């Protein structure tokens, strides 16, 4: 039996891509932590979804899962309140995905805007690795020759992830909204054909503040592939180096030159991690009194203070502890998923 509460349920998920950086924290994880009290949270590791990026190499999926979940735990997600689990360990995801695949047309999935991004990424990757079929000129590798059944069905699997837990709310970045929309369409169609089983989830777009996109050390979007990241698991020293290497206002060359905080990357970090000193820093930067080196040192210290509790929590979670937490979360998730599948099979006369 699954326990029910009056709280709305959140199903949130991330692809198992390894260590998280500050951009992931500010853009998503921090919100998960904040929503813990208000909602009932289920946190899914989308480890099957990773296969769309590289189906051939699966050896990094588990280590990447462990790193990512360790970051969730370090950030303050309480495993006793909010189960964390791998998609691959709850087979009901596959069953519901199959049933849902009959309820959505090929053309609907081809219209999914994220499919285009995936194709572009695949092309880049093929070129980078030079594994494109040598016998065919590259321009003959058509889009439909690159896209697998799994790419097309990516949002269908995500719909199963969400609806298996009857998630009411899905916290996502803007880019994922099309998947939530497809989820809603599938839920509606299912309910119309077979009777009311699923809620229609709403996408809760993580607040579009200037911090939802924390810039990397070069001022561009923080991204693993750009090498401009500060990881949550970085040491104090590495974090300090990340800040010290940041670009500031390029027009401020000498210490006494007046600076422009509004174009300065370091200032963005102060706004997020050192809000109390903002008025002072703004004044002193603009007057030229505050040099960039001192300003960065201060920023690094404040960021490290901010991260200190996370570093402390991290100590508690070695690989075995993370695996135990996943195993426990998977048992809880499975109970909910099995309950839903009983209703689904009954509704569809497969009971
Ligand atoms: N597609 C999501 C992403 O790329 C990951 C994901 C898989 C997900 N299943 C989910 C997110 C269910 C929310 C709910 O970020």
């Amino acid at each position: 039996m699954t326990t029910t509460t009056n709280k709305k349920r959140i199903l949130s998920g991330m692809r198992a891509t390894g260590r998280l950086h500050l951009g992931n924290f500010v853009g998503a994880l921090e919100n998960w932590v904040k929503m813990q009290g208000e909602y009932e949270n289920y946190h899914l590791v989308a480890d099957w979804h990773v296969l769309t990026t590289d189906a051939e190499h699966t050896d990094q999926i588990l280590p990447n899962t462990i790193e990512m979940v360790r970051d969730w735990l370090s950030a303050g997600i309480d495993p006793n309140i909010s189960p964390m689990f791998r998609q691959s360990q709850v087979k009901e995801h596959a069953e519901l995905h199959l049933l849902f695949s009959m309820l959505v047309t090929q053309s609907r999935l081809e219209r999914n805007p994220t499919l285009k991004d995936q194709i572009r990424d695949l092309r880049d990757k093929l070129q980078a690795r030079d594994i494109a079929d040598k016998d065919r000129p590259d321009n003959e590798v058509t889009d439909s020759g690159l896209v697998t059944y799994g790419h097309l069905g990516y949002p269908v699997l995500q719909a199963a992830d969400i609806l298996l837990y009857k998630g009411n709310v899905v916290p996502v970045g803007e880019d994922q909204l099309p998947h939530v929309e497809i989820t809603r369409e599938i839920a509606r169609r299912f309910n119309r054909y077979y009777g009311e089983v699923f809620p229609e989830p709403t996408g809760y777009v993580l607040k579009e503040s200037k911090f939802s996109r924390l810039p990397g050390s070069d001022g561009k979007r923080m991204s693993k592939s750009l090498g401009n990241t500060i990881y949550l698991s970085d040491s104090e020293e590495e974090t300090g180096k990340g800040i010290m290497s940041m670009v500031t206002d390029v027009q401020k060359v000498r210490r006494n030159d007046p600076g422009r905080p509004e174009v300065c990357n370091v200032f963005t970090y102060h706004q997020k991690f050192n809000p109390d000193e903002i008025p002072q820093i703004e004044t002193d930067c603009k007057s030229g009194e505050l040099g960039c080196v001192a300003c960065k040192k201060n920023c690094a210290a404040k960021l490290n203070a901010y991260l200190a509790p996370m570093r402390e929590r991290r100590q508690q979670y070695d690989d075995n502890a993370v695996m135990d937490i996943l195993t426990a979360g998977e048992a809880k998730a499975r109970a909910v998923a099995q309950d839903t599948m009983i209703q689904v099979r009954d509704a569809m006369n497969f009971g």
Side-chain angles (χ1 to χ4, degrees):
M1 271 271 92
T2 52
T3 48
T4 51
T5 67
N6 296 326
K7 286 183 181 171
K8 284 196 167 181
R9 190 174 285 168
I10 285 191
L11 190 290
S12 53
M14 286 187 197
R15 282 154 41 93
T17 51
R19 302 199 287 158
L20 300 179
H21 53 63
L22 274 181
N24 302 130
F25 173 75
V26 169
L29 184 55
E30 189 183 30
N31 290 281
W32 292 14
V33 178
K34 284 188 195 142
M35 291 185 292
Q36 264 189 121
E38 200 180 331
Y39 295 90
E40 189 189 355
N41 289 271
Y42 280 73
H43 300 297
L44 166 130
V45 179
D47 55 352
W48 279 340
H49 273 114
V50 174
L51 297 171
T52 55
T53 329
D54 188 1
E56 194 181 336
H57 304 101
T58 51
D59 55 328
Q60 287 310 303
I61 298 178
L62 183 59
N64 281 342
T65 296
I66 292 174
E67 289 303 337
M68 185 171 82
V69 172
R70 193 172 3 253
D71 283 331
W72 293 358
L73 291 159
S74 307
I77 309 255
D78 180 345
N80 298 311
I81 306 177
S82 309
M84 298 168 214
F85 61 98
R86 290 165 291 173
Q87 183 184 45
S88 66
Q89 302 307 304
V90 183
K91 308 298 180 214
E92 284 74 9
H93 288 257
E95 183 181 358
L96 193 57
H97 168 257
L98 175 112
L99 296 172
F100 281 173
S101 73
M102 313 294 171
L103 302 181
V104 58
T105 63
Q106 180 179 336
S107 73
R108 177 67 186 90
L109 295 174
E110 282 169 349
R111 266 188 286 123
N112 167 27
T114 62
L115 188 64
K116 289 204 180 61
D117 300 337
Q118 292 198 43
I119 293 171
R120 199 201 47 225
D121 291 350
L122 278 173
R123 282 197 174 280
D124 291 352
K125 214 167 177 173
L126 279 179
Q127 264 145 19
R129 288 226 224 108
D130 200 23
I131 56 171
D133 190 341
K134 287 284 191 315
D135 299 333
R136 291 191 302 189
D138 217 335
N139 58 13
E140 276 182 31
V141 182
T142 59
D143 287 355
S144 56
L146 276 174
V147 171
T148 65
Y149 191 46
H151 284 120
L152 205 58
Y154 187 110
V156 186
L157 180 56
Q158 188 164 345
D161 295 342
I162 295 166
L163 294 176
L164 205 41
Y165 304 93
K166 299 192 177 176
N168 305 102
V169 179
V170 189
V172 285
E174 195 131 31
D175 63 308
Q176 292 289 310
L177 278 181
H179 296 171
V180 179
E181 192 47 44
I182 291 173
T183 303
R184 293 163 60 84
E185 289 169 22
I186 290 175
R188 275 202 293 274
R189 183 162 288 181
F190 185 100
N191 291 345
R192 186 150 47 81
Y193 284 3
Y194 311 115
E196 201 73 21
V197 172
F198 294 113
E200 254 183 66
T202 41
Y204 168 89
V205 179
L206 296 168
K207 216 170 50 209
E208 273 300 323
S209 67
K210 70 166 108 86
F211 303 122
S212 63
R213 286 272 161 108
L214 191 75
S217 51
D218 54 359
K220 298 195 186 114
R221 183 176 61 91
M222 192 179 281
S223 155
K224 234 175 242 187
S225 54
L226 296 176
N228 60 359
T229 44
I230 296 176
Y231 288 100
L232 293 179
S233 48
D234 279 349
S235 66
E236 278 197 23
E237 202 191 344
E238 288 165 324
T239 303
K241 273 193 193 141
I243 297 288
M244 297 312 287
S245 73
M246 276 187 171
V247 273
T248 55
D249 176 1
V250 288
Q251 288 179 21
K252 180 168 159 65
V253 183
R254 270 171 297 274
R255 184 184 178 296
N256 293 326
D257 292 346
R260 295 171 301 164
E262 66 279 8
V263 301
C264 178
N265 207 6
V266 177
F267 191 68
T268 307
Y269 276 67
H270 276 297
Q271 287 175 304
K272 172 67 194 165
F273 301 107
N274 185 22
D276 294 348
E277 290 180 17
I278 281 301
Q280 193 65 48
I281 290 170
E282 197 166 8
T283 312
D284 294 349
C285 173
K286 281 182 173 164
S287 73
E289 204 170 311
L290 177 64
C292 291
V293 173
C295 180
K296 285 175 174 180
K297 276 190 181 149
N298 181 23
C299 184
K302 294 300 183 326
L303 176 56
N304 274 323
Y306 189 96
L307 295 173
M310 292 193 214
R311 294 200 175 112
E312 175 132 11
R313 265 193 297 267
R314 179 176 298 277
Q315 305 302 320
Q316 305 167 35
Y317 302 113
D318 62 11
D319 287 7
N320 288 331
V322 173
M323 285 312 295
D324 288 347
I325 285 165
L326 281 171
T327 307
E330 281 149 13
K332 285 187 199 163
R334 209 173 286 125
V336 176
Q338 286 173 350
D339 206 55
T340 303
M341 284 317 295
I342 288 171
Q343 296 168 44
V344 167
R345 292 184 208 114
D346 278 351
M348 293 182 77
N349 303 306
F350 290 119

